[in-house]
Amino acid sequence: MSAAPHPLAGGVIGTWIKLPAIESVQIAAHAGFGFVVIDQEHAPLDVRTAYELVTVADALGVLPLVRVADGRPSGVQRLLDAGAAGVLVPHVDTVDQARDAVSAVRFPPVGRRGAGGTSRAGRWGLRSREEYLASGAHSLCIPQIESREAAGNAGAIAALDGVDALFVGAADIGLDVGTPPSATEVTDLCARARTAAHEAGKPCGAATASATGARALLADGFDFVVVGNDTSMLAEAAVATVAGVRNGGTP
């Protein structure tokens, strides 16, 4: 029997969810996004809200990922027990930090995630212990590469057992090196991380604000792309609507 395809391979596109509203996830699903990333790092979303957004995404057949605020095991565990398909862990610069992320996601003996079989992930105790623990092997651990140091360590990070993909953050790499995200140095570091992920047999993703940017990233060889976010899409549509009424479409 052939292995199941990686859920983040093949050019799948997703979007950030920053609003505490299930409608954002519903709209993303109806629009055709393959996954959503519920953003706890740069949006004020608490665990209960993330739980509700994950549940809606899962019910609509959209892969629910969560970008956690940090890699603390307690936060990661609660989101995985809420039913998140995986987590993006910000600012993983070193192999040791990547090991910590893996440990937070995986059950023993691979990691240190605690058993919570009475959670949603365990169907509130209706899943057998064996089924619940086996499901944890499919939880996605995705370190974010967001600095020059991280890009240099990307190969070793991607090669770790338990790391399922890398996600490259060009904006933060730009902040780290002191240049705009479009600068050659940043794009070279992103390309280095992408190549390292592929050499380890892992997908690599990135983010962009537009469909044009997403097409470019996919053409460059990124396997999955996060395009825009619910708040910016709403803001841009609002500005365009007002401009269209007041001055014929000129913002």
Side-chain angles (χ1 to χ4, degrees):
M1 181 182 296
S2 60
H6 195 292
L8 293 176
V12 64
I13 62 171
T15 193
W16 302 109
I17 300 296
K18 296 175 178 288
L19 291 172
I22 61 173
E23 289 82 2
S24 285
V25 175
Q26 292 171 321
I27 290 168
H30 294 311
F33 285 103
F35 68 96
V36 292
V37 186
I38 297 155
D39 190 3
Q40 288 194 311
E41 184 189 17
H42 292 297
L45 302 179
D46 60 20
V47 173
R48 177 68 197 183
T49 301
Y51 178 95
E52 293 170 351
L53 298 173
V54 163
T55 300
V56 172
D58 196 32
L60 292 171
V62 176
L63 189 75
L65 303 174
V66 179
R67 175 161 67 177
V68 294
D70 53 50
R72 285 183 294 178
S74 59
V76 170
Q77 177 173 293
R78 292 176 78 188
L79 291 163
L80 294 177
D81 277 340
V87 292
L88 279 71
V89 182
H91 300 291
V92 176
D93 295 322
T94 68
V95 174
D96 284 343
Q97 290 171 342
R99 285 197 186 98
D100 288 342
V102 170
S103 181
V105 170
R106 304 287 173 224
F107 292 117
V110 177
R112 300 188 64 189
R113 178 181 167 188
T118 56
S119 65
R120 181 173 179 270
R123 294 182 190 153
W124 304 278
L126 298 178
R127 263 183 164 173
S128 69
R129 176 180 173 82
E130 292 74 23
E131 190 180 7
Y132 167 68
L133 295 178
S135 72
H138 301 292
S139 298
L140 298 174
C141 177
I142 308 169
Q144 294 190 182
I145 305 300
E146 300 182 284
S147 68
R148 184 189 283 112
E149 180 184 14
N153 291 326
I157 291 171
L160 284 176
D161 287 340
V163 167
D164 297 289
L166 298 184
F167 184 82
V168 178
D172 280 314
I173 291 177
L175 288 175
D176 182 59
V177 303
T179 66
S182 58
T184 300
E185 183 177 5
V186 175
T187 57
D188 287 348
L189 289 169
C190 292
R192 182 190 302 180
R194 183 188 67 234
T195 298
H198 290 167
E199 288 176 347
K202 310 288 176 68
C204 188
T208 182
S210 68
T212 300
R215 288 193 298 269
L217 288 172
L218 293 171
D220 284 342
F222 285 95
D223 304 281
F224 61 99
V225 180
V226 183
V227 190
N229 64 80
D230 53 356
T231 53
S232 293
M233 291 181 201
L234 175 60
E236 290 163 5
V239 169
T241 297
V242 173
V245 172
R246 289 183 173 170
N247 47 30
T250 302

